[in-house]
Amino acid sequence: TTSGTTPTESFTTTSGTTSSNFTTVTTNTTTTTSGIVSSGSTSTSWPTATSSAVTIPGSSSYSTVTPLSASGSTTSLPPTTPGRNCSILPNESHVVSRFHEVFRILLWMDTRHIISMLVTYGVCINLDRKGNISPFYFFLFSWVSPGESWWLCNCTKAICIEDNIIQVVPIICNPPPKPTCANGLSPVQVIDEDGCCWHWECDCYCTGWGDPHYMTFDGLYYSYQGNCTYVLVEEIYKKVDNFGVYIDNYHCDTRDVVSCPRTLIVRHETQEVRIATVKPNTLQVKVTVNKQAVALPYKKFGLSIYESGINRVVEIPELKMNVTYNGLSFSIRMPYSLFGNNTHGQCGTCNNNTADDCMLPNGNIAENCETMADHWQVVDPSKPQCSPGLIPTKAPSTTPMQPCKESSICKLLLGSLFEPCHGFVQPEKYYAACVFDSCVLPNLDLECSSLQVYAATCADQSVCIDWRSHTNGVCSYKCPSDKEYRACGPIKEITCKSSQQNETSTKQVEGCFCPNGTMLYDSGVDVCVKTCGEFYCFTRMHVCFLFFGEKFTLDCQDCICLEGGNGIVCEPHECAKPNKTSCDGEGFYEVNEVNSEDSCCPIVTCKCNISLCTTKAPKCTVGFEVHSHIPSGQCCPVYQCVPKRVCVHQNAEFLPNSSVFVDKCQNCFCTNEVNVSTQLNIISCERIPCNTYCKPGYEHQPVKGECCGRCVQTKCVIHTANNSDLILSPGEFRSDPYNNCTIYSCVNIHNQLLSSTSEITCPTFNEESCKPGTITFLPNGCCKTCVPLDSPTPCSVRQRKDFIVYKSCRSVDRVVMTECEGTCGTFSLYSADANSMEHSCSCCRESRTTVREVELKCPTGHSISHKYIYVESCSCQDNECLQSSELQSTEENDKASTLNSIKRAINLTSK
């Protein structure tokens, strides 16, 4: 400040020309000096400098600038630091003196700040045609100390060496290698902070579509069917106030097992943008800001919203990000330089690495992103069942039990139609999502969203595909009558108010655009005009940008824009006679809807409300499941129990080719064959192979709790003296084939088979006492006896030794026992007097007996006392003679008696 007056300065930049005006006010005199420096020309005489090339080892090539004296008189300036600072010698002493006064005041603070200010405000420090620094700036540099540097234009740095030597160093940029982005998209070029060179970055790009499917910032694909409001992206470390993107999902099918997006929410500082779907599964949306409806384009507080084809775009230029939504799909694009390694939510972490995309709010990594997505719920008053930390019940698997034949539309993704994009964006994940949608929700045409989002991603990579015309009308998009559909239109449509030269982007979008030969009047006025004229008609509430004579509809009135008078002449709009609609079916109700072709004439449509249906899903038996379908033209689903194609055993289900446990003796598995009567798959079983051979005397019998059973002894096996084997059943007696005096027997005592060998002891026999021809065997076949031919054997007592067995207890030694044996006077002869047979019957019986006692040994080890009858004498005693039938019975009894005698002679001791 000189004499209480403050110098003023102003800088103005035009294309290629820098204009500088300086005003210096002193006490007595005010002098104004102006200099114009233009590229390639000089308007006043300034000292110039020539440059000579100098190379320093290890550095880039640069130029040094040395001063030369201009023609004419010169005036030297006293240097502030003699012999060291960079100074110049201007040829206009009066100009130099005035500049000196001004800049001595400014440079008193810091010369570098002045230079920085010049560059900041667009004053380029250029070289002239000969490579010299303009004298005005060279004059400024005279106050720069040696070693100090500053940026010039065109990425050139100037360095003050000393003694008026300035080194000019150009920045050389070496193109960096192109990286591969984890999300499969092409990297983008980003200018370095110095504004000269650039480097590659992988943008953070997240998409979602269908019911719904997600592709994280790093390209990880997953599906999630929640019906709450969730965080798509928020900052881990908060740098932007109140920033985040959220999605509101809802169940969009009758079974409430799959979801669709309903509202996309963008928060930035003081504003909350909501883009809500007007009609489910359509591209009709409405936009609100802070719960107030707004018209597009909208721009306020650093946030703008506009239409781009079928999309609504929310753009935050300060953050270099944009969010798009069209009712079926969304996309979020954010720069890596601002958001790298600082995002979390259902879109994952943007760091070009899919390993941590499934990050939970606490920083841990979930096993899969489906689990992760549950944890990103936010508080939504309209959904009280949802809240952060409350994990909803998982919906049942929607994977069809039977293989599903995908829609032919999905095959377009892998075919030649989209082949030009396959090299830029891999289609496999979008194909999988399309197949899922076509199988789970075949009636909603949601597979179109997979093609639409893939085509949009391709368009983002500058590859445009016209695909809707190849879907046989399934995925067609209808435009208003004054617009036409284009698969490859501009991101921002050219209007009468915008310049086509400003549009340099190669990216394209699909949507409805003005026909060729017309142009959109303005981004806020959706009217296509042939000529951008100045004529228009207007009313107090509306502005109709139309030429005179053009007709339009305003406030449900048919109007025409006329020249003269009020300009607009209107009459009530007439509606066509509507077709009578009957909503008689169960679940249907009448609704008045806005007619898309004529908003003034509502149409009555039948809407379906499944909650009005009375039929409930049945409870199916094991092996069956409920399937539902809505017949064409109906609202309420039809339920039926259909077989699951499984096997059922003991109320358990088994998949085909799986093992089924019936019992441990069978190998069973579930087959693919179906029982026609039960509609269940057949269980096939094979018994475990068993060895059923048993040695003689044993039989193979089943055993409870065992598969193959075992050999059980059912007969006694007796080894005879001559090494032969006898097989006897329990209770059977048999003589030795070679010795009738040896009798073998088999008994079953307490389920234990015991074999016994008995030896018959014969009484003393003297063959000499018998007459020749009278020697014979007793009935036992063992002992010999002789019977005189003239007289029978008298009745007498015969002794024998044998073991006594009673109740499984047996005598220790053989006991002497007696019995009666012999013949008595028995005859049968004819009596003439009686004219019949006379009988005389007598038998050899005991006449005197005694009771004797013997000790028996039992299997348990204890002994008991047993009494038995001992015959002392025998005699012939008369008996009643029986008739022939009785006689036969008597003979049988005699045989039985003889057998019992033999049994008594058997030794019951095991061999």
Side-chain angles (χ1 to χ4, degrees):
T1 304
T2 304
S3 303
T5 304
T6 303
T8 61
E9 57 179 335
S10 64
F11 302 95
T12 303
T13 302
T14 61
S15 57
T17 304
T18 303
S19 174
S20 304
N21 300 304
F22 305 92
T23 303
T24 304
V25 181
T26 61
T27 306
N28 301 320
T29 308
T30 300
T31 305
T32 300
T33 305
S34 64
I36 304 297
V37 181
S38 179
S39 300
S41 64
T42 305
S43 60
T44 58
S45 298
W46 296 94
T48 59
T50 60
S51 63
S52 59
V54 178
T55 303
I56 297 177
S59 67
S60 304
S61 62
Y62 62 92
S63 300
T64 56
V65 181
T66 55
L68 293 177
S69 299
S71 59
S73 61
T74 61
T75 302
S76 300
L77 284 173
T80 55
T81 306
R84 298 305 298 169
N85 282 6
C86 296
S87 62
I88 59 172
L89 299 174
N91 63 344
E92 298 289 343
S93 58
H94 65 283
V95 174
V96 171
S97 63
R98 293 306 180 189
F99 274 113
H100 189 190
E101 286 185 46
V102 175
F103 284 99
R104 276 188 69 89
I105 296 172
L106 297 177
L107 295 177
W108 176 76
M109 298 169 60
D110 193 339
T111 302
R112 287 171 299 177
H113 293 171
I114 303 298
I115 298 172
S116 175
M117 183 175 65
L118 294 175
V119 176
T120 301
Y121 283 91
V123 181
C124 264
I125 305 176
N126 284 325
L127 303 180
D128 60 17
R129 292 181 180 178
K130 298 181 180 181
N132 301 324
I133 297 179
S134 301
F136 170 71
Y137 303 107
F138 197 85
F139 173 78
L140 289 179
F141 302 156
S142 67
W143 298 94
V144 180
S145 300
E148 294 190 52
S149 62
W150 60 94
W151 285 104
L152 305 178
C153 281
N154 300 326
C155 294
T156 306
K157 179 184 286 188
I159 304 174
C160 177
I161 306 301
E162 65 179 358
D163 296 332
N164 300 329
I165 299 175
I166 298 174
Q167 173 182 318
V168 179
V169 181
I171 302 301
I172 299 176
C173 298
N174 295 318
K178 191 173 183 178
T180 300
C181 297
N183 57 19
L185 304 181
S186 299
V188 296
Q189 294 182 2
V190 180
I191 301 299
D192 293 340
E193 293 182 359
D194 57 17
C196 296
C197 299
W198 58 271
H199 61 277
W200 294 106
E201 286 185 3
C202 294
D203 270 354
C204 309
Y205 188 75
C206 174
T207 58
W209 72 95
D211 57 347
H213 313 285
Y214 294 86
M215 198 83 75
T216 65
F217 286 132
D218 297 328
L220 182 63
Y221 168 79
Y222 70 96
S223 297
Y224 175 68
Q225 281 77 37
N227 69 325
C228 297
T229 302
Y230 304 92
V231 177
L232 289 177
V233 58
E234 285 182 346
E235 289 184 301
I236 300 176
Y237 309 103
K238 308 301 182 183
K239 299 179 181 179
V240 182
D241 184 33
N242 189 32
F243 170 75
V245 183
Y246 311 87
I247 190 74
D248 172 15
N249 290 339
Y250 74 103
H251 286 316
C252 55
D253 78 321
T254 58
R255 297 167 295 169
D256 290 347
V257 294
V258 294
S259 302
C260 296
R262 176 163 54 192
T263 304
L264 188 77
I265 306 166
V266 181
R267 292 176 183 166
H268 177 244
E269 296 181 347
T270 61
Q271 301 185 93
E272 179 183 89
V273 179
R274 286 178 173 262
I275 310 177
T277 303
V278 175
K279 187 177 180 181
N281 303 320
T282 66
L283 298 176
Q284 302 177 22
V285 297
K286 64 178 180 180
V287 181
T288 61
V289 177
N290 294 339
K291 299 182 180 179
Q292 296 294 325
V294 296
L296 302 186
Y298 170 91
K299 188 173 183 180
K300 192 175 183 180
F301 300 141
L303 180 146
S304 63
I305 313 170
Y306 58 89
E307 294 185 20
S308 179
I310 63 174
N311 301 311
R312 302 299 182 271
V313 182
V314 180
E315 193 173 78
I316 306 176
E318 179 186 5
L319 303 180
K320 301 177 183 178
M321 70 165 290
N322 64 68
V323 180
T324 67
Y325 182 65
N326 56 31
L328 293 179
S329 64
F330 70 84
S331 68
I332 304 172
R333 180 180 288 277
M334 308 165 68
Y336 182 86
S337 57
L338 297 181
F339 294 94
N341 290 297
N342 194 31
T343 65
H344 61 182
Q346 290 186 342
C347 281
T349 304
C350 178
N351 59 1
N352 209 34
N353 180 10
T354 59
D356 57 359
D357 277 6
C358 303
M359 181 185 294
L360 300 174
N362 59 9
N364 296 330
I365 307 300
E367 181 180 357
N368 55 67
C369 285
E370 289 80 1
T371 301
M372 172 271 291
D374 269 335
H375 291 264
W376 287 106
Q377 298 181 35
V378 297
V379 176
D380 187 343
S382 66
K383 297 182 177 181
Q385 78 277 11
C386 304
S387 63
L390 179 63
I391 307 303
T393 303
K394 283 286 187 181
S397 175
T398 55
T399 303
M401 292 297 294
Q402 298 180 357
C404 171
K405 184 178 181 182
E406 71 277 12
S407 170
S408 59
I409 295 176
C410 299
K411 297 179 181 178
L412 295 176
L413 287 167
L414 305 179
S416 59
L417 177 63
F418 284 94
E419 188 174 1
C421 185
H422 290 173
F424 297 89
V425 184
Q426 295 297 320
E428 285 76 14
K429 297 174 183 177
Y430 302 90
Y431 173 76
C434 182
V435 172
F436 179 87
D437 291 346
S438 66
C439 290
V440 177
L441 297 174
N443 298 324
L444 295 183
D445 297 333
L446 276 181
E447 59 266 32
C448 297
S449 64
S450 294
L451 276 71
Q452 181 260 314
V453 76
Y454 181 68
T457 307
C458 293
D460 184 77
Q461 300 296 301
S462 301
V463 179
C464 186
I465 307 293
D466 186 0
W467 60 277
R468 291 190 184 269
S469 59
H470 296 266
T471 61
N472 296 324
V474 176
C475 302
S476 61
Y477 184 73
K478 188 176 181 180
C479 292
S481 58
D482 60 334
K483 298 289 186 72
E484 66 180 12
Y485 171 80
R486 293 182 199 165
C488 308
I491 292 181
K492 290 186 178 180
E493 191 172 4
I494 304 302
T495 69
C496 292
K497 304 296 184 180
S498 66
S499 174
Q500 189 171 2
Q501 296 177 353
N502 296 334
E503 294 296 329
T504 59
S505 175
T506 60
K507 297 179 181 179
Q508 296 174 308
V509 295
E510 66 168 329
C512 297
F513 302 92
C514 288
N516 291 330
T518 64
M519 182 179 294
L520 191 66
Y521 183 83
D522 195 4
S523 57
V525 181
D526 193 15
V527 175
C528 298
V529 296
K530 295 181 179 179
T531 305
C532 294
E534 298 294 336
F535 308 107
Y536 59 89
C537 299
F538 65 92
T539 65
R540 283 181 294 178
M541 298 300 297
H542 302 275
V543 177
C544 174
F545 291 86
L546 297 173
F547 289 103
F548 296 137
E550 292 197 50
K551 297 179 180 180
F552 62 98
T553 299
L554 179 66
D555 293 336
C556 292
Q557 290 185 321
D558 295 330
C559 304
I560 184 171
C561 180
L562 301 176
E563 187 174 2
N566 293 328
I568 297 177
V569 177
C570 299
E571 58 184 24
H573 180 71
E574 293 185 3
C575 298
K577 187 176 181 181
N579 296 326
K580 188 175 181 180
T581 304
S582 176
C583 302
D584 297 332
E586 184 182 12
F588 286 111
Y589 64 97
E590 292 185 359
V591 175
N592 288 328
E593 285 191 344
V594 176
N595 190 343
S596 60
E597 297 180 355
D598 190 347
S599 60
C600 297
C601 301
I603 57 176
V604 178
T605 61
C606 294
K607 287 292 185 179
C608 173
N609 186 352
I610 295 182
S611 63
L612 301 177
C613 300
T614 58
T615 304
K616 303 299 181 182
K619 185 177 181 180
C620 300
T621 59
V622 180
F624 292 81
E625 63 182 350
V626 176
H627 273 204
S628 66
H629 72 280
I630 300 177
S632 178
Q634 296 185 20
C635 170
C636 298
V638 176
Y639 301 100
Q640 59 179 348
C641 292
V642 298
K644 292 183 179 180
R645 294 293 182 262
V646 295
C647 297
V648 176
H649 178 66
Q650 294 182 347
N651 287 329
E653 297 178 353
F654 300 87
L655 294 175
N657 300 320
S658 61
S659 298
V660 181
F661 179 79
V662 175
D663 58 57
K664 64 180 181 180
C665 300
Q666 299 184 82
N667 290 325
C668 302
F669 68 97
C670 181
T671 68
N672 286 302
E673 298 181 17
V674 178
N675 187 317
V676 178
S677 60
T678 65
Q679 294 298 306
L680 298 175
N681 287 28
I682 298 174
I683 298 176
S684 176
C685 296
E686 294 180 354
R687 291 199 63 84
I688 296 175
C690 299
N691 181 12
T692 58
Y693 171 77
C694 296
K695 61 183 181 180
Y698 291 79
E699 289 183 3
H700 190 273
Q701 296 180 355
V703 178
K704 186 178 182 180
E706 296 184 11
C707 296
C708 294
R710 58 187 174 187
C711 292
V712 179
Q713 186 177 4
T714 57
K715 297 181 180 180
C716 295
V717 180
I718 301 174
H719 299 283
T720 62
N722 61 351
N723 293 327
S724 62
D725 290 337
L726 289 179
I727 307 299
L728 300 182
S729 298
E732 184 180 359
F733 299 85
R734 188 177 301 176
S735 299
D736 189 297
Y738 303 97
N739 182 6
N740 287 335
C741 294
T742 301
I743 299 176
Y744 302 102
S745 65
C746 178
V747 294
N748 186 339
I749 300 177
H750 298 303
N751 294 326
Q752 183 176 3
L753 294 177
L754 297 177
S755 59
S756 299
T757 302
S758 298
E759 297 289 341
I760 298 176
T761 302
C762 296
T764 303
F765 175 69
N766 186 4
E767 293 185 1
E768 294 179 354
S769 64
C770 296
K771 295 180 180 180
T774 61
I775 299 175
T776 184
F777 285 95
L778 292 175
N780 58 23
C782 172
C783 299
K784 293 181 179 180
T785 185
C786 58
V787 178
L789 297 176
D790 54 350
S791 63
T793 301
C795 178
S796 60
V797 176
R798 185 175 67 87
Q799 290 185 345
R800 65 181 178 87
K801 286 185 178 182
D802 201 353
F803 291 98
I804 294 178
V805 178
Y806 178 74
K807 292 185 178 179
S808 302
C809 299
R810 191 186 70 173
S811 60
V812 178
D813 297 317
R814 295 179 185 271
V815 178
V816 177
M817 293 181 290
T818 56
E819 56 188 16
C820 294
E821 187 177 33
T823 59
C824 293
T826 300
F827 64 88
S828 177
L829 55 86
Y830 176 76
S831 171
D833 294 334
N835 193 24
S836 65
M837 296 295 295
E838 289 186 358
H839 305 280
S840 175
C841 297
S842 64
C843 64
C844 183
R845 296 181 59 178
E846 68 276 8
S847 57
R848 185 168 57 89
T849 61
T850 59
V851 176
R852 294 188 179 186
E853 190 173 349
V854 66
E855 184 179 7
L856 303 181
K857 197 74 172 179
C858 299
T860 58
H862 68 282
S863 300
I864 62 174
S865 178
H866 178 69
K867 294 179 179 180
Y868 68 99
I869 297 174
Y870 184 84
V871 178
E872 296 287 349
S873 61
C874 300
S875 63
C876 291
Q877 301 179 18
D878 292 337
N879 262 355
E880 182 180 359
C881 293
L882 303 178
Q883 301 298 324
S884 59
S885 60
E886 294 174 341
L887 181 62
Q888 182 179 359
S889 176
T890 302
E891 290 177 353
E892 292 176 355
N893 290 336
D894 290 344
K895 290 181 181 180
S897 177
T898 303
L899 182 59
N900 289 334
S901 298
I902 297 174
K903 289 181 180 181
R904 287 194 300 271
I906 292 176
N907 180 6
L908 296 178
T909 304
S910 298
K911 201 169 186 180

